[in-house]
Amino acid sequence: MAACHIRSISLPSRSHPLIVNIEEQLYKLKASQSSSMSYKLNGLKNLFECVDDLLQMPLAQQTLSHERQSQCVENALNVSLELLDLCDSTRDLFSQMKECVQELELSLRRRKGKDSGITTEVEAYMVSRKKLRKVICKYLRNLKRKERNCTTEALDNNSNFTNVISILTRVQEISLVEFESILSFISQSKAKSRSFGWSIISKALQSKRISCEVETKVNEVEKVDAELLNLKSSKDVSISQLQSLLKGLEALGSSIQEAEEDLDCIYRRLVKTRVSLLNILDH
């Protein structure tokens, strides 16, 4: 994003409750690297709600209206559309992942405890996951490029976060990072798998004594993948193994469903934000 210089109009001082709230939301998201996907999605929902509240403030509207012809305002408008597209694409990818999970779960439940030919279902799921991972990796590479092109310039040494354009830029930066993290939930790159080690996951699952440390590092996707690897390497698949896998698939499906609902909410708030921006610039 091109560096921008805004003239004198700015928002109220840092002590304004709305500005403080936005700062807090940005800080929480920035510090949430190891937090759950649900936490990140809720954080984005709260952040975008605060942004729309910001755009309803008379001084914020005055700033944008006064600078409507500047490159900064054009960038803000373009970013609002980019975030909408990104949220919609993320929602679609989660929907595809849910279909993969549901198809495998349905196939296994139809067996009614029979383990013959289970490799076929497992392989079909892994093939679908591999195709989906390739698509997600393309999105992640695009996000990385956007992150490199997105820079924030202090507009005034004494007024960080007091200018509406500065806030919108920071929101873009953190949103790109968080969407990248959310997409990584269903991608699970090979590098991450190697760094943590499938053997550790498999042993933890086999022993059924998963430590708190393992639980925080392994999400539902990784747990299901580890269960599938165990099944593939087993000569005989027990009923308990199938039940454990079905339980994991059910938990994963629920997590994805909740994520889809959160993404729906985020999408609606992004639409509202874009409409607010367009209304301000049209007046």
Side-chain angles (χ1 to χ4, degrees), residues 124-161:
Y125 172 81
M126 289 186 169
V127 168
S128 297
R129 284 269 284 111
K130 185 177 180 180
K131 292 179 180 178
L132 184 60
R133 184 183 290 117
K134 287 182 179 179
V135 176
I136 294 173
C137 285
K138 290 182 181 179
Y139 277 97
L140 292 176
R141 285 194 294 270
N142 289 335
L143 283 175
K144 284 292 187 182
R145 284 195 291 269
K146 289 180 183 295
E147 287 175 37
R148 288 194 294 268
N149 293 331
C150 182
T151 58
T152 303
E153 180 176 326
L155 302 170
D156 188 311
N157 290 334
N158 298 316
S159 60
N160 280 337
F161 272 99

PDB file of all heavy atoms in Angstrom, residues 124-161:
ATOM      1  N   ALA A 124      -9.527 -41.705  -0.207  1.00  0.00           N
ATOM      2  CA  ALA A 124     -10.376 -40.722  -0.871  1.00  0.00           C
ATOM      3  C   ALA A 124     -10.370 -39.396  -0.107  1.00  0.00           C
ATOM      4  O   ALA A 124     -10.310 -38.307  -0.704  1.00  0.00           O
ATOM      5  CB  ALA A 124     -11.800 -41.266  -0.989  1.00  0.00           C
ATOM      6  N   TYR A 125     -10.422 -39.489   1.214  1.00  0.00           N
ATOM      7  CA  TYR A 125     -10.390 -38.289   2.044  1.00  0.00           C
ATOM      8  C   TYR A 125      -9.058 -37.563   1.889  1.00  0.00           C
ATOM      9  O   TYR A 125      -9.029 -36.331   1.733  1.00  0.00           O
ATOM     10  CB  TYR A 125     -10.609 -38.677   3.507  1.00  0.00           C
ATOM     11  CG  TYR A 125     -10.403 -37.544   4.493  1.00  0.00           C
ATOM     12  CD1 TYR A 125     -11.411 -36.609   4.727  1.00  0.00           C
ATOM     13  CD2 TYR A 125      -9.207 -37.418   5.197  1.00  0.00           C
ATOM     14  CE1 TYR A 125     -11.229 -35.573   5.628  1.00  0.00           C
ATOM     15  CE2 TYR A 125      -9.019 -36.383   6.102  1.00  0.00           C
ATOM     16  CZ  TYR A 125     -10.028 -35.468   6.315  1.00  0.00           C
ATOM     17  OH  TYR A 125      -9.840 -34.442   7.210  1.00  0.00           O
ATOM     18  N   MET A 126      -7.971 -38.319   1.917  1.00  0.00           N
ATOM     19  CA  MET A 126      -6.648 -37.710   1.818  1.00  0.00           C
ATOM     20  C   MET A 126      -6.418 -37.063   0.454  1.00  0.00           C
ATOM     21  O   MET A 126      -5.766 -36.020   0.349  1.00  0.00           O
ATOM     22  CB  MET A 126      -5.568 -38.743   2.111  1.00  0.00           C
ATOM     23  CG  MET A 126      -5.513 -39.162   3.574  1.00  0.00           C
ATOM     24  SD  MET A 126      -4.136 -40.259   3.943  1.00  0.00           S
ATOM     25  CE  MET A 126      -4.176 -40.259   5.740  1.00  0.00           C
ATOM     26  N   VAL A 127      -6.954 -37.671  -0.599  1.00  0.00           N
ATOM     27  CA  VAL A 127      -6.844 -37.086  -1.934  1.00  0.00           C
ATOM     28  C   VAL A 127      -7.599 -35.748  -1.978  1.00  0.00           C
ATOM     29  O   VAL A 127      -7.094 -34.746  -2.504  1.00  0.00           O
ATOM     30  CB  VAL A 127      -7.400 -38.045  -3.013  1.00  0.00           C
ATOM     31  CG1 VAL A 127      -7.552 -37.311  -4.348  1.00  0.00           C
ATOM     32  CG2 VAL A 127      -6.477 -39.239  -3.178  1.00  0.00           C
ATOM     33  N   SER A 128      -8.805 -35.731  -1.407  1.00  0.00           N
ATOM     34  CA  SER A 128      -9.597 -34.499  -1.368  1.00  0.00           C
ATOM     35  C   SER A 128      -8.877 -33.423  -0.553  1.00  0.00           C
ATOM     36  O   SER A 128      -8.853 -32.243  -0.930  1.00  0.00           O
ATOM     37  CB  SER A 128     -10.975 -34.775  -0.768  1.00  0.00           C
ATOM     38  OG  SER A 128     -11.708 -35.675  -1.572  1.00  0.00           O
ATOM     39  N   ARG A 129      -8.297 -33.841   0.565  1.00  0.00           N
ATOM     40  CA  ARG A 129      -7.570 -32.899   1.419  1.00  0.00           C
ATOM     41  C   ARG A 129      -6.348 -32.335   0.696  1.00  0.00           C
ATOM     42  O   ARG A 129      -6.016 -31.154   0.831  1.00  0.00           O
ATOM     43  CB  ARG A 129      -7.133 -33.593   2.706  1.00  0.00           C
ATOM     44  CG  ARG A 129      -8.234 -33.805   3.684  1.00  0.00           C
ATOM     45  CD  ARG A 129      -8.362 -32.656   4.663  1.00  0.00           C
ATOM     46  NE  ARG A 129      -7.315 -32.726   5.669  1.00  0.00           N
ATOM     47  CZ  ARG A 129      -6.304 -31.872   5.772  1.00  0.00           C
ATOM     48  NH1 ARG A 129      -6.184 -30.879   4.925  1.00  0.00           N
ATOM     49  NH2 ARG A 129      -5.408 -32.003   6.733  1.00  0.00           N
ATOM     50  N   LYS A 130      -5.680 -33.179  -0.080  1.00  0.00           N
ATOM     51  CA  LYS A 130      -4.490 -32.744  -0.804  1.00  0.00           C
ATOM     52  C   LYS A 130      -4.858 -31.694  -1.839  1.00  0.00           C
ATOM     53  O   LYS A 130      -4.162 -30.678  -1.989  1.00  0.00           O
ATOM     54  CB  LYS A 130      -3.823 -33.934  -1.479  1.00  0.00           C
ATOM     55  CG  LYS A 130      -2.502 -33.583  -2.170  1.00  0.00           C
ATOM     56  CD  LYS A 130      -1.849 -34.827  -2.754  1.00  0.00           C
ATOM     57  CE  LYS A 130      -0.525 -34.475  -3.432  1.00  0.00           C
ATOM     58  NZ  LYS A 130       0.111 -35.693  -4.015  1.00  0.00           N
ATOM     59  N   LYS A 131      -5.957 -31.902  -2.556  1.00  0.00           N
ATOM     60  CA  LYS A 131      -6.406 -30.927  -3.550  1.00  0.00           C
ATOM     61  C   LYS A 131      -6.777 -29.613  -2.883  1.00  0.00           C
ATOM     62  O   LYS A 131      -6.434 -28.528  -3.372  1.00  0.00           O
ATOM     63  CB  LYS A 131      -7.609 -31.481  -4.318  1.00  0.00           C
ATOM     64  CG  LYS A 131      -7.285 -32.659  -5.227  1.00  0.00           C
ATOM     65  CD  LYS A 131      -8.536 -33.170  -5.929  1.00  0.00           C
ATOM     66  CE  LYS A 131      -8.219 -34.341  -6.851  1.00  0.00           C
ATOM     67  NZ  LYS A 131      -9.449 -34.879  -7.501  1.00  0.00           N
ATOM     68  N   LEU A 132      -7.481 -29.711  -1.766  1.00  0.00           N
ATOM     69  CA  LEU A 132      -7.899 -28.511  -1.043  1.00  0.00           C
ATOM     70  C   LEU A 132      -6.690 -27.769  -0.498  1.00  0.00           C
ATOM     71  O   LEU A 132      -6.633 -26.537  -0.522  1.00  0.00           O
ATOM     72  CB  LEU A 132      -8.845 -28.896   0.093  1.00  0.00           C
ATOM     73  CG  LEU A 132      -9.464 -27.747   0.895  1.00  0.00           C
ATOM     74  CD1 LEU A 132     -10.282 -26.840  -0.020  1.00  0.00           C
ATOM     75  CD2 LEU A 132     -10.346 -28.305   2.006  1.00  0.00           C
ATOM     76  N   ARG A 133      -5.695 -28.519  -0.014  1.00  0.00           N
ATOM     77  CA  ARG A 133      -4.488 -27.897   0.536  1.00  0.00           C
ATOM     78  C   ARG A 133      -3.758 -27.089  -0.534  1.00  0.00           C
ATOM     79  O   ARG A 133      -3.227 -26.000  -0.258  1.00  0.00           O
ATOM     80  CB  ARG A 133      -3.560 -28.954   1.120  1.00  0.00           C
ATOM     81  CG  ARG A 133      -2.323 -28.356   1.808  1.00  0.00           C
ATOM     82  CD  ARG A 133      -1.386 -29.426   2.312  1.00  0.00           C
ATOM     83  NE  ARG A 133      -1.973 -30.141   3.438  1.00  0.00           N
ATOM     84  CZ  ARG A 133      -2.266 -31.438   3.430  1.00  0.00           C
ATOM     85  NH1 ARG A 133      -2.070 -32.148   2.333  1.00  0.00           N
ATOM     86  NH2 ARG A 133      -2.768 -32.004   4.497  1.00  0.00           N
ATOM     87  N   LYS A 134      -3.721 -27.589  -1.758  1.00  0.00           N
ATOM     88  CA  LYS A 134      -3.055 -26.867  -2.841  1.00  0.00           C
ATOM     89  C   LYS A 134      -3.742 -25.524  -3.098  1.00  0.00           C
ATOM     90  O   LYS A 134      -3.074 -24.508  -3.310  1.00  0.00           O
ATOM     91  CB  LYS A 134      -3.065 -27.711  -4.121  1.00  0.00           C
ATOM     92  CG  LYS A 134      -2.110 -28.898  -4.095  1.00  0.00           C
ATOM     93  CD  LYS A 134      -2.134 -29.646  -5.417  1.00  0.00           C
ATOM     94  CE  LYS A 134      -1.155 -30.810  -5.405  1.00  0.00           C
ATOM     95  NZ  LYS A 134      -1.180 -31.562  -6.697  1.00  0.00           N
ATOM     96  N   VAL A 135      -5.069 -25.546  -3.085  1.00  0.00           N
ATOM     97  CA  VAL A 135      -5.817 -24.301  -3.299  1.00  0.00           C
ATOM     98  C   VAL A 135      -5.534 -23.318  -2.169  1.00  0.00           C
ATOM     99  O   VAL A 135      -5.292 -22.125  -2.401  1.00  0.00           O
ATOM    100  CB  VAL A 135      -7.332 -24.591  -3.393  1.00  0.00           C
ATOM    101  CG1 VAL A 135      -8.111 -23.280  -3.504  1.00  0.00           C
ATOM    102  CG2 VAL A 135      -7.633 -25.486  -4.586  1.00  0.00           C
ATOM    103  N   ILE A 136      -5.545 -23.822  -0.939  1.00  0.00           N
ATOM    104  CA  ILE A 136      -5.311 -22.963   0.216  1.00  0.00           C
ATOM    105  C   ILE A 136      -3.907 -22.377   0.189  1.00  0.00           C
ATOM    106  O   ILE A 136      -3.700 -21.202   0.515  1.00  0.00           O
ATOM    107  CB  ILE A 136      -5.538 -23.738   1.523  1.00  0.00           C
ATOM    108  CG1 ILE A 136      -7.014 -24.133   1.652  1.00  0.00           C
ATOM    109  CG2 ILE A 136      -5.120 -22.905   2.733  1.00  0.00           C
ATOM    110  CD1 ILE A 136      -7.311 -25.038   2.813  1.00  0.00           C
ATOM    111  N   CYS A 137      -2.932 -23.184  -0.222  1.00  0.00           N
ATOM    112  CA  CYS A 137      -1.550 -22.710  -0.275  1.00  0.00           C
ATOM    113  C   CYS A 137      -1.408 -21.535  -1.246  1.00  0.00           C
ATOM    114  O   CYS A 137      -0.624 -20.604  -1.007  1.00  0.00           O
ATOM    115  CB  CYS A 137      -0.612 -23.842  -0.688  1.00  0.00           C
ATOM    116  SG  CYS A 137      -0.305 -25.031   0.635  1.00  0.00           S
ATOM    117  N   LYS A 138      -2.183 -21.563  -2.334  1.00  0.00           N
ATOM    118  CA  LYS A 138      -2.166 -20.432  -3.269  1.00  0.00           C
ATOM    119  C   LYS A 138      -2.696 -19.181  -2.590  1.00  0.00           C
ATOM    120  O   LYS A 138      -2.136 -18.087  -2.746  1.00  0.00           O
ATOM    121  CB  LYS A 138      -3.003 -20.763  -4.504  1.00  0.00           C
ATOM    122  CG  LYS A 138      -2.392 -21.813  -5.420  1.00  0.00           C
ATOM    123  CD  LYS A 138      -3.263 -22.051  -6.640  1.00  0.00           C
ATOM    124  CE  LYS A 138      -2.652 -23.113  -7.544  1.00  0.00           C
ATOM    125  NZ  LYS A 138      -3.497 -23.372  -8.737  1.00  0.00           N
ATOM    126  N   TYR A 139      -3.779 -19.331  -1.835  1.00  0.00           N
ATOM    127  CA  TYR A 139      -4.333 -18.193  -1.109  1.00  0.00           C
ATOM    128  C   TYR A 139      -3.327 -17.671  -0.083  1.00  0.00           C
ATOM    129  O   TYR A 139      -3.178 -16.459   0.099  1.00  0.00           O
ATOM    130  CB  TYR A 139      -5.624 -18.592  -0.402  1.00  0.00           C
ATOM    131  CG  TYR A 139      -6.843 -18.536  -1.293  1.00  0.00           C
ATOM    132  CD1 TYR A 139      -7.329 -19.678  -1.912  1.00  0.00           C
ATOM    133  CD2 TYR A 139      -7.516 -17.340  -1.506  1.00  0.00           C
ATOM    134  CE1 TYR A 139      -8.449 -19.634  -2.731  1.00  0.00           C
ATOM    135  CE2 TYR A 139      -8.639 -17.280  -2.321  1.00  0.00           C
ATOM    136  CZ  TYR A 139      -9.099 -18.433  -2.927  1.00  0.00           C
ATOM    137  OH  TYR A 139     -10.200 -18.371  -3.743  1.00  0.00           O
ATOM    138  N   LEU A 140      -2.651 -18.579   0.592  1.00  0.00           N
ATOM    139  CA  LEU A 140      -1.683 -18.167   1.606  1.00  0.00           C
ATOM    140  C   LEU A 140      -0.516 -17.414   0.977  1.00  0.00           C
ATOM    141  O   LEU A 140      -0.018 -16.438   1.557  1.00  0.00           O
ATOM    142  CB  LEU A 140      -1.176 -19.393   2.372  1.00  0.00           C
ATOM    143  CG  LEU A 140      -2.207 -20.094   3.260  1.00  0.00           C
ATOM    144  CD1 LEU A 140      -1.603 -21.345   3.893  1.00  0.00           C
ATOM    145  CD2 LEU A 140      -2.720 -19.152   4.346  1.00  0.00           C
ATOM    146  N   ARG A 141      -0.073 -17.850  -0.197  1.00  0.00           N
ATOM    147  CA  ARG A 141       1.010 -17.129  -0.884  1.00  0.00           C
ATOM    148  C   ARG A 141       0.555 -15.728  -1.268  1.00  0.00           C
ATOM    149  O   ARG A 141       1.319 -14.760  -1.151  1.00  0.00           O
ATOM    150  CB  ARG A 141       1.463 -17.906  -2.122  1.00  0.00           C
ATOM    151  CG  ARG A 141       2.305 -19.141  -1.813  1.00  0.00           C
ATOM    152  CD  ARG A 141       3.006 -19.659  -3.050  1.00  0.00           C
ATOM    153  NE  ARG A 141       2.065 -20.167  -4.036  1.00  0.00           N
ATOM    154  CZ  ARG A 141       1.653 -21.426  -4.079  1.00  0.00           C
ATOM    155  NH1 ARG A 141       2.095 -22.303  -3.181  1.00  0.00           N
ATOM    156  NH2 ARG A 141       0.819 -21.833  -5.022  1.00  0.00           N
ATOM    157  N   ASN A 142      -0.689 -15.615  -1.730  1.00  0.00           N
ATOM    158  CA  ASN A 142      -1.222 -14.284  -2.068  1.00  0.00           C
ATOM    159  C   ASN A 142      -1.306 -13.394  -0.837  1.00  0.00           C
ATOM    160  O   ASN A 142      -1.027 -12.194  -0.903  1.00  0.00           O
ATOM    161  CB  ASN A 142      -2.603 -14.426  -2.711  1.00  0.00           C
ATOM    162  CG  ASN A 142      -2.558 -15.018  -4.100  1.00  0.00           C
ATOM    163  OD1 ASN A 142      -1.539 -14.910  -4.796  1.00  0.00           O
ATOM    164  ND2 ASN A 142      -3.637 -15.650  -4.521  1.00  0.00           N
ATOM    165  N   LEU A 143      -1.711 -13.993   0.283  1.00  0.00           N
ATOM    166  CA  LEU A 143      -1.788 -13.220   1.519  1.00  0.00           C
ATOM    167  C   LEU A 143      -0.419 -12.735   1.951  1.00  0.00           C
ATOM    168  O   LEU A 143      -0.268 -11.607   2.439  1.00  0.00           O
ATOM    169  CB  LEU A 143      -2.421 -14.070   2.626  1.00  0.00           C
ATOM    170  CG  LEU A 143      -3.939 -14.229   2.569  1.00  0.00           C
ATOM    171  CD1 LEU A 143      -4.411 -15.191   3.652  1.00  0.00           C
ATOM    172  CD2 LEU A 143      -4.629 -12.886   2.728  1.00  0.00           C
ATOM    173  N   LYS A 144       0.596 -13.574   1.782  1.00  0.00           N
ATOM    174  CA  LYS A 144       1.960 -13.182   2.130  1.00  0.00           C
ATOM    175  C   LYS A 144       2.394 -11.975   1.302  1.00  0.00           C
ATOM    176  O   LYS A 144       3.029 -11.044   1.816  1.00  0.00           O
ATOM    177  CB  LYS A 144       2.922 -14.352   1.886  1.00  0.00           C
ATOM    178  CG  LYS A 144       2.860 -15.449   2.932  1.00  0.00           C
ATOM    179  CD  LYS A 144       3.397 -14.962   4.269  1.00  0.00           C
ATOM    180  CE  LYS A 144       3.483 -16.098   5.257  1.00  0.00           C
ATOM    181  NZ  LYS A 144       3.959 -15.614   6.594  1.00  0.00           N
ATOM    182  N   ARG A 145       2.044 -11.994   0.014  1.00  0.00           N
ATOM    183  CA  ARG A 145       2.411 -10.860  -0.841  1.00  0.00           C
ATOM    184  C   ARG A 145       1.684  -9.589  -0.400  1.00  0.00           C
ATOM    185  O   ARG A 145       2.261  -8.504  -0.380  1.00  0.00           O
ATOM    186  CB  ARG A 145       2.081 -11.176  -2.303  1.00  0.00           C
ATOM    187  CG  ARG A 145       3.072 -12.133  -2.961  1.00  0.00           C
ATOM    188  CD  ARG A 145       2.910 -12.110  -4.470  1.00  0.00           C
ATOM    189  NE  ARG A 145       1.640 -12.702  -4.872  1.00  0.00           N
ATOM    190  CZ  ARG A 145       1.487 -13.991  -5.165  1.00  0.00           C
ATOM    191  NH1 ARG A 145       2.521 -14.813  -5.073  1.00  0.00           N
ATOM    192  NH2 ARG A 145       0.311 -14.451  -5.539  1.00  0.00           N
ATOM    193  N   LYS A 146       0.411  -9.732  -0.048  1.00  0.00           N
ATOM    194  CA  LYS A 146      -0.350  -8.565   0.407  1.00  0.00           C
ATOM    195  C   LYS A 146       0.244  -8.010   1.692  1.00  0.00           C
ATOM    196  O   LYS A 146       0.305  -6.796   1.899  1.00  0.00           O
ATOM    197  CB  LYS A 146      -1.816  -8.941   0.618  1.00  0.00           C
ATOM    198  CG  LYS A 146      -2.575  -9.211  -0.678  1.00  0.00           C
ATOM    199  CD  LYS A 146      -4.014  -9.568  -0.367  1.00  0.00           C
ATOM    200  CE  LYS A 146      -4.778  -9.925  -1.641  1.00  0.00           C
ATOM    201  NZ  LYS A 146      -4.913  -8.775  -2.556  1.00  0.00           N
ATOM    202  N   GLU A 147       0.670  -8.915   2.600  1.00  0.00           N
ATOM    203  CA  GLU A 147       1.261  -8.470   3.861  1.00  0.00           C
ATOM    204  C   GLU A 147       2.529  -7.668   3.618  1.00  0.00           C
ATOM    205  O   GLU A 147       2.773  -6.650   4.261  1.00  0.00           O
ATOM    206  CB  GLU A 147       1.585  -9.677   4.748  1.00  0.00           C
ATOM    207  CG  GLU A 147       0.370 -10.335   5.367  1.00  0.00           C
ATOM    208  CD  GLU A 147       0.735 -11.588   6.130  1.00  0.00           C
ATOM    209  OE1 GLU A 147       1.803 -11.594   6.765  1.00  0.00           O
ATOM    210  OE2 GLU A 147      -0.023 -12.562   6.082  1.00  0.00           O
ATOM    211  N   ARG A 148       3.349  -8.128   2.653  1.00  0.00           N
ATOM    212  CA  ARG A 148       4.592  -7.414   2.355  1.00  0.00           C
ATOM    213  C   ARG A 148       4.326  -6.034   1.768  1.00  0.00           C
ATOM    214  O   ARG A 148       5.109  -5.103   1.948  1.00  0.00           O
ATOM    215  CB  ARG A 148       5.455  -8.235   1.396  1.00  0.00           C
ATOM    216  CG  ARG A 148       6.098  -9.457   2.012  1.00  0.00           C
ATOM    217  CD  ARG A 148       7.182 -10.008   1.120  1.00  0.00           C
ATOM    218  NE  ARG A 148       6.640 -10.538  -0.125  1.00  0.00           N
ATOM    219  CZ  ARG A 148       6.279 -11.806  -0.291  1.00  0.00           C
ATOM    220  NH1 ARG A 148       6.401 -12.664   0.714  1.00  0.00           N
ATOM    221  NH2 ARG A 148       5.809 -12.224  -1.444  1.00  0.00           N
ATOM    222  N   ASN A 149       3.206  -5.904   1.047  1.00  0.00           N
ATOM    223  CA  ASN A 149       2.874  -4.631   0.417  1.00  0.00           C
ATOM    224  C   ASN A 149       2.091  -3.696   1.326  1.00  0.00           C
ATOM    225  O   ASN A 149       1.791  -2.569   0.947  1.00  0.00           O
ATOM    226  CB  ASN A 149       2.050  -4.874  -0.854  1.00  0.00           C
ATOM    227  CG  ASN A 149       2.864  -5.567  -1.921  1.00  0.00           C
ATOM    228  OD1 ASN A 149       4.072  -5.418  -1.978  1.00  0.00           O
ATOM    229  ND2 ASN A 149       2.192  -6.343  -2.774  1.00  0.00           N
ATOM    230  N   CYS A 150       1.737  -4.185   2.497  1.00  0.00           N
ATOM    231  CA  CYS A 150       0.896  -3.400   3.403  1.00  0.00           C
ATOM    232  C   CYS A 150       1.768  -2.803   4.497  1.00  0.00           C
ATOM    233  O   CYS A 150       2.285  -3.515   5.346  1.00  0.00           O
ATOM    234  CB  CYS A 150      -0.190  -4.296   4.023  1.00  0.00           C
ATOM    235  SG  CYS A 150      -1.300  -3.394   5.098  1.00  0.00           S
ATOM    236  N   THR A 151       1.969  -1.485   4.468  1.00  0.00           N
ATOM    237  CA  THR A 151       2.811  -0.815   5.455  1.00  0.00           C
ATOM    238  C   THR A 151       2.050   0.332   6.088  1.00  0.00           C
ATOM    239  O   THR A 151       1.210   0.970   5.469  1.00  0.00           O
ATOM    240  CB  THR A 151       4.088  -0.254   4.807  1.00  0.00           C
ATOM    241  OG1 THR A 151       3.719   0.639   3.771  1.00  0.00           O
ATOM    242  CG2 THR A 151       4.939  -1.382   4.222  1.00  0.00           C
ATOM    243  N   THR A 152       2.383   0.589   7.328  1.00  0.00           N
ATOM    244  CA  THR A 152       1.743   1.694   8.050  1.00  0.00           C
ATOM    245  C   THR A 152       2.757   2.803   8.277  1.00  0.00           C
ATOM    246  O   THR A 152       3.874   2.545   8.709  1.00  0.00           O
ATOM    247  CB  THR A 152       1.230   1.214   9.421  1.00  0.00           C
ATOM    248  OG1 THR A 152       0.336   0.136   9.203  1.00  0.00           O
ATOM    249  CG2 THR A 152       0.531   2.328  10.155  1.00  0.00           C
ATOM    250  N   GLU A 153       2.364   4.030   7.999  1.00  0.00           N
ATOM    251  CA  GLU A 153       3.230   5.186   8.239  1.00  0.00           C
ATOM    252  C   GLU A 153       2.594   6.064   9.303  1.00  0.00           C
ATOM    253  O   GLU A 153       1.422   6.400   9.231  1.00  0.00           O
ATOM    254  CB  GLU A 153       3.407   5.999   6.953  1.00  0.00           C
ATOM    255  CG  GLU A 153       4.293   7.217   7.142  1.00  0.00           C
ATOM    256  CD  GLU A 153       4.528   7.940   5.835  1.00  0.00           C
ATOM    257  OE1 GLU A 153       4.604   7.274   4.804  1.00  0.00           O
ATOM    258  OE2 GLU A 153       4.612   9.181   5.871  1.00  0.00           O
ATOM    259  N   ALA A 154       3.362   6.435  10.306  1.00  0.00           N
ATOM    260  CA  ALA A 154       2.838   7.320  11.342  1.00  0.00           C
ATOM    261  C   ALA A 154       2.508   8.675  10.723  1.00  0.00           C
ATOM    262  O   ALA A 154       3.317   9.263  10.016  1.00  0.00           O
ATOM    263  CB  ALA A 154       3.871   7.495  12.456  1.00  0.00           C
ATOM    264  N   LEU A 155       1.318   9.136  10.997  1.00  0.00           N
ATOM    265  CA  LEU A 155       0.874  10.380  10.400  1.00  0.00           C
ATOM    266  C   LEU A 155       1.265  11.584  11.238  1.00  0.00           C
ATOM    267  O   LEU A 155       1.359  12.691  10.745  1.00  0.00           O
ATOM    268  CB  LEU A 155      -0.656  10.344  10.234  1.00  0.00           C
ATOM    269  CG  LEU A 155      -1.151   9.171   9.387  1.00  0.00           C
ATOM    270  CD1 LEU A 155      -2.656   9.075   9.483  1.00  0.00           C
ATOM    271  CD2 LEU A 155      -0.711   9.334   7.954  1.00  0.00           C
ATOM    272  N   ASP A 156       1.500  11.354  12.519  1.00  0.00           N
ATOM    273  CA  ASP A 156       1.863  12.435  13.422  1.00  0.00           C
ATOM    274  C   ASP A 156       2.516  11.777  14.622  1.00  0.00           C
ATOM    275  O   ASP A 156       1.991  10.831  15.175  1.00  0.00           O
ATOM    276  CB  ASP A 156       0.623  13.213  13.848  1.00  0.00           C
ATOM    277  CG  ASP A 156       0.983  14.466  14.633  1.00  0.00           C
ATOM    278  OD1 ASP A 156       1.788  14.353  15.573  1.00  0.00           O
ATOM    279  OD2 ASP A 156       0.442  15.529  14.304  1.00  0.00           O
ATOM    280  N   ASN A 157       3.670  12.265  15.024  1.00  0.00           N
ATOM    281  CA  ASN A 157       4.387  11.640  16.130  1.00  0.00           C
ATOM    282  C   ASN A 157       3.571  11.602  17.410  1.00  0.00           C
ATOM    283  O   ASN A 157       3.816  10.795  18.297  1.00  0.00           O
ATOM    284  CB  ASN A 157       5.699  12.390  16.390  1.00  0.00           C
ATOM    285  CG  ASN A 157       6.704  12.172  15.273  1.00  0.00           C
ATOM    286  OD1 ASN A 157       6.647  11.158  14.584  1.00  0.00           O
ATOM    287  ND2 ASN A 157       7.610  13.117  15.099  1.00  0.00           N
ATOM    288  N   ASN A 158       2.589  12.482  17.536  1.00  0.00           N
ATOM    289  CA  ASN A 158       1.804  12.554  18.761  1.00  0.00           C
ATOM    290  C   ASN A 158       0.391  12.020  18.584  1.00  0.00           C
ATOM    291  O   ASN A 158      -0.456  12.227  19.435  1.00  0.00           O
ATOM    292  CB  ASN A 158       1.749  14.016  19.234  1.00  0.00           C
ATOM    293  CG  ASN A 158       3.120  14.553  19.559  1.00  0.00           C
ATOM    294  OD1 ASN A 158       3.912  13.869  20.192  1.00  0.00           O
ATOM    295  ND2 ASN A 158       3.402  15.766  19.117  1.00  0.00           N
ATOM    296  N   SER A 159       0.112  11.363  17.459  1.00  0.00           N
ATOM    297  CA  SER A 159      -1.278  10.960  17.241  1.00  0.00           C
ATOM    298  C   SER A 159      -1.423   9.585  16.612  1.00  0.00           C
ATOM    299  O   SER A 159      -2.216   9.404  15.698  1.00  0.00           O
ATOM    300  CB  SER A 159      -1.980  11.989  16.353  1.00  0.00           C
ATOM    301  OG  SER A 159      -1.337  12.077  15.100  1.00  0.00           O
ATOM    302  N   ASN A 160      -0.623   8.612  17.055  1.00  0.00           N
ATOM    303  CA  ASN A 160      -0.812   7.248  16.572  1.00  0.00           C
ATOM    304  C   ASN A 160      -2.227   6.791  16.872  1.00  0.00           C
ATOM    305  O   ASN A 160      -2.749   6.985  17.953  1.00  0.00           O
ATOM    306  CB  ASN A 160       0.182   6.292  17.248  1.00  0.00           C
ATOM    307  CG  ASN A 160       1.550   6.383  16.597  1.00  0.00           C
ATOM    308  OD1 ASN A 160       1.662   6.785  15.444  1.00  0.00           O
ATOM    309  ND2 ASN A 160       2.569   6.018  17.345  1.00  0.00           N
ATOM    310  N   PHE A 161      -2.839   6.172  15.887  1.00  0.00           N
ATOM    311  CA  PHE A 161      -4.180   5.612  16.010  1.00  0.00           C
ATOM    312  C   PHE A 161      -5.278   6.670  16.086  1.00  0.00           C
ATOM    313  O   PHE A 161      -6.438   6.328  16.244  1.00  0.00           O
ATOM    314  CB  PHE A 161      -4.309   4.688  17.244  1.00  0.00           C
ATOM    315  CG  PHE A 161      -3.931   3.276  16.944  1.00  0.00           C
ATOM    316  CD1 PHE A 161      -2.687   2.810  17.260  1.00  0.00           C
ATOM    317  CD2 PHE A 161      -4.833   2.403  16.351  1.00  0.00           C
ATOM    318  CE1 PHE A 161      -2.335   1.512  16.990  1.00  0.00           C
ATOM    319  CE2 PHE A 161      -4.486   1.105  16.073  1.00  0.00           C
ATOM    320  CZ  PHE A 161      -3.230   0.658  16.395  1.00  0.00           C
TER     321      PHE A 161
END
